[in-house]
Amino acid sequence: MLSVNPANGAQMGRFEPWDDSRIESALAQAGEAAPAWAKLHMAERARFLQGAARVLREREPEFSRLITEEMGKLISEASAEIEKCAKVCDYYAAEAERFLTDEVLASDASRSLVAWQPLGTVLAVMPWNFPFWQVFRFAAPALMAGNTALLKHASNVPRCALAIESVFEAAGFPRGVFRTLMIGASQVEGVIRDRRVHAVTLTGSEPAGRAVAAVAGEVLKKTVLELGGSDPFVVLEDADLELTVEQAVASRYMNAGQSCIAAKRFVVVEPVAETFLEQFREAVRALRPGDPMDESTTLAPMARGDLRDALHAQVHESVKHGAQVLEGGQPVEGKGNWYQASILDGVGPGMPAYEEEMFGPVAAILRARDEDDAVRIANDTRFGLGGSVWSRDAARGEAVARRLACGCAFVNGLVKSDPRLPFGGIKDSGYGRELSLLGIREFVNAKTVWIR
Ligand code: NDP
C-alpha cells in the first residue's frame, strides 16, 4: 500500500498488508468490545462521539494536509471535509437517542414495541475520494447505534486510514470499538465470512460493490451499497443562468470531478443551450490547476495515474463515437496525475460519456428538445444516485425532481449530502440509505417485543 502525492508523484509512505494473525487479532478485539459497547447508555456513547468531533476540530490542519497530500484535493476542500466529519458526529451524538427510542405500537398485546438493537460488528469498505467523510458518515451512526466498526480503507489512502483510527483512540473510545484493518481488496472476503462480522457497507465502484454483496449474500449478512452514479444536471429554459453555471462548475470540477454525486451529464434544453454553454466554457477556462496546498488553486489533480488514464480512455472513445471536445480533453504531461478541465459536447447513446460514470474533470453536454425530452435523457442511465434541475419556477423544478429516477433530487442546488437528510441511490448506484434517521436504522435489529 503506497501513499503517493497525486500532485507531484512523491512517495509519502509504504505499508505492508497485514497477515492473517494481525487480522485475527483485530477481529477478536472488535468482537470482544461489542457487548460492552452495546450495553453502554446512549448518553455515554454520545460523549465518546463528541470527543471524536473535538479531536477532529483540534487536529483539523494536520488532517486536512494529510488528505491533500495523499489524495490530492484542494486544501480548502480537505478542511471543509474535516469540519463535516465533526458535524456528523455532533449530529448523531445529539439525535441518536431520539432515533432509536423504543417505538410502542398497539396490537393484541398489553404492550408491544420495536426496540432498535445493534447488530454487532460492521465492516466498512471505503473509497479514497472523501477519505475522512465517507468513513465518518458510516461510523457516526453505526457506533451510536451500539455497533463496533472495522474499516478497510482504499489502498491509496493508508495514512488517512491510520489517522482516522487515531481520532477514536485520542477520543478515548474503548479498545476495539473502531479498528482499521490494513488489508487489500483480496483479503476482504475472509473478513466478511468471519462469524464476528455481522454486516458490511461499501462505498466505491460497481464491480467492488457486486463482489462484496455476492460474498455477503452467500453468508446472509446485511449490506448497504453506495456505488457512484452519473448524475444528470437538467437545465430548463427558465433557469437562473448565473447561479446555474456557478453551481455547474462547482459540482463537476470540485475534488477534480471525483465525487459520486458530481453532476456528470449536463442535460440542457435547446432554447438555452448556446447561452449556457458559452458561460459554462468561460467559467471552466478560468479554473486554475496548481499546487492543491495553495489556497488560490481551483483545480486539483486526480487521485491516481490509473484513474486518470481510464478517464482519458473514456474521453477518447466518446470522441471516436462523435463527441466534440469543447475544452481540454487531454492529460497534462509531467509529474502528478493531472487532467485538463474538459467539456464534451454532442454526447449521446453508445458513448462512455453517456453510458458510464466519468470520475474526473470532464463534463458531458447532452442537448434536449424540451422538458419531457430532458427527463427522458436524464433517466436513460443504469445509475440512479442523484440529480438536479434548474428552473426559476420552484414548483416546476419540484415536479421535474419527482420524475428523476434517483435517490436524491435537488432543485436549484448541487447535489450534496447533509447529515439531516437521507443519502443513497437506486438502480446500479446501490441500495440502502446513509445519514438521517434512515442511516442509523440500517445496522440495527428492529426487534419486535410482545407482552401478554
Ligand atoms: P474501488 O471500488 O475499486 O475501491 C473502493 C474500495 O473497495 C477500496 O477500499 C477497494 O480496495 C475496495 N475493493 C475494490 N475491489 C474490491 C473487491 N473485489 N472486494 C472487496 N473490496 C474491494 O474504486 P477505485 O479506487 O478503483 O476507483 C474506480 C472507480 O470506482 C472510479 O473511477 C469511480 O467510478 C468509482 N468510485 C466511486 C466512488 C463513490 O464515491 N461512489 C468512490 C471511488 C471510486 P483497494 O483500494 O484495496 O482496491
Side-chain angles (χ1 to χ4, degrees):
M1 291 165 185
L2 284 182
S3 178
V4 177
N5 186 330
N8 55 25
Q11 191 174 314
M12 315 294 293
R14 185 190 182 92
F15 302 84
E16 287 309 314
W18 284 2
D19 61 18
D20 289 349
S21 74
R22 285 192 83 176
I23 299 173
E24 166 55 33
S25 112
L27 282 167
Q29 254 186 29
E32 281 158 22
W37 181 249
K39 259 198 229 128
L40 278 187
H41 190 273
M42 195 69 91
E44 292 175 83
R45 289 202 292 267
R47 268 195 294 281
F48 284 111
L49 210 64
Q50 284 156 353
R54 211 167 29 247
V55 174
L56 283 163
R57 290 193 171 107
E58 278 165 10
R59 293 168 59 188
E60 177 276 314
E62 172 200 340
F63 295 144
S64 303
R65 201 181 165 80
L66 175 57
I67 292 177
T68 297
E69 269 179 14
E70 198 161 53
M71 61 67 63
K73 75 174 54 175
L74 304 181
I75 190 74
S76 56
E77 293 175 2
S79 169
E81 180 171 338
I82 298 299
E83 176 54 26
K84 195 166 175 179
C85 294
K87 281 211 173 91
V88 78
C89 292
D90 292 342
Y91 173 76
Y92 278 108
E95 301 291 349
E97 189 160 4
R98 180 167 71 86
F99 290 157
L100 299 183
T101 296
D102 290 349
E103 212 169 306
V104 177
L105 299 169
S107 74
D108 62 343
S110 64
R111 173 173 155 82
S112 46
L113 58 92
V114 181
W116 310 95
Q117 298 184 331
L119 291 183
T121 298
V122 185
L123 169 68
V125 181
M126 290 288 138
W128 43 265
N129 58 341
F130 292 86
F132 273 63
W133 167 246
Q134 307 276 27
V135 176
F136 279 90
R137 182 175 76 185
F138 144 75
L143 295 174
M144 276 309 295
N147 296 294
T148 57
L150 295 168
L151 168 65
K152 180 272 180 274
H153 218 325
S155 293
N156 56 322
V157 288
R159 292 193 302 144
C160 284
L162 293 171
I164 291 166
E165 187 175 58
S166 83
V167 171
F168 293 102
E169 263 168 31
F173 276 67
R175 202 164 156 263
V177 169
F178 184 99
R179 285 300 318 261
T180 286
L181 308 176
M182 298 294 275
I183 60 174
S186 62
Q187 293 168 292
V188 170
E189 175 169 351
V191 177
I192 296 173
R193 290 187 184 278
D194 191 278
R195 66 187 160 73
R196 290 159 294 193
V197 171
H198 302 92
V200 194
T201 182
L202 178 138
T203 301
S205 66
E206 216 187 312
R210 287 186 197 280
V212 161
V215 176
E218 219 179 284
V219 286
L220 295 178
K221 293 184 184 174
K222 163 91 187 250
T223 47
V224 167
L225 300 178
E226 201 271 86
L227 306 179
S230 187
D231 287 7
F233 182 105
V234 178
V235 185
L236 299 177
E237 68 283 355
D238 60 351
D240 170 348
L241 279 192
E242 197 181 324
L243 171 74
T244 306
V245 167
E246 179 221 6
Q247 298 269 293
V249 173
S251 184
R252 178 65 287 204
Y253 299 95
M254 185 195 295
N255 205 13
Q258 303 164 119
S259 167
C260 46
I261 45 169
K264 290 171 185 141
R265 295 174 302 128
F266 293 80
V267 185
V268 191
V269 296
E270 280 296 354
V272 276
E274 288 311 321
T275 325
F276 170 80
L277 260 182
E278 202 179 299
Q279 296 179 22
F280 186 51
R281 284 182 75 167
E282 197 182 316
V284 169
R285 276 198 296 264
L287 288 169
R288 290 181 45 168
D291 179 359
M293 291 289 183
D294 181 340
E295 295 279 356
S296 66
T297 301
T298 51
L299 185 68
M302 292 182 64
R304 295 197 315 250
D306 64 308
L307 296 167
R308 192 257 313 257
D309 296 346
L311 179 75
H312 187 54
Q314 289 174 309
V315 169
H316 185 75
E317 198 59 22
S318 300
V319 171
K320 234 172 75 183
H321 285 84
Q324 301 105 47
V325 178
L326 293 188
E327 299 293 336
Q330 291 296 329
V332 180
E333 292 304 318
K335 285 187 179 154
N337 318 315
W338 296 89
Y339 201 82
Q340 295 176 333
S342 309
I343 303 177
L344 296 181
D345 196 6
V347 170
M351 300 177 192
Y354 189 95
E355 312 285 351
E356 300 170 7
E357 179 174 34
M358 299 270 276
F359 217 62
V362 181
I365 307 292
L366 292 71
R367 291 159 189 258
R369 278 190 311 278
D370 52 21
E371 181 184 307
D372 279 350
D373 197 34
V375 171
R376 179 190 63 77
I377 295 169
N379 290 340
D380 187 23
T381 168
R382 341 181 249 114
F383 296 103
L385 188 55
S388 62
V389 52
W390 302 81
S391 161
R392 280 202 170 87
D393 179 345
R396 182 184 184 197
E398 182 177 336
V400 173
R402 286 174 182 276
R403 294 171 69 195
L404 294 180
C406 62
C408 324
F410 281 55
V411 179
N412 296 329
L414 56 80
V415 182
K416 61 179 187 214
S417 58
D418 178 324
R420 296 165 295 187
L421 301 174
F423 183 84
I426 58 171
K427 303 200 276 183
D428 287 356
S429 291
Y431 49 73
R433 288 295 178 267
E434 297 196 272
L435 301 175
S436 77
L437 165 83
L438 299 188
I440 199 168
R441 292 215 177 148
E442 288 286 3
F443 295 117
V444 290
N445 170 17
K447 185 193 277 183
T448 299
V449 178
W450 185 99
I451 303 151
R452 185 177 294 279

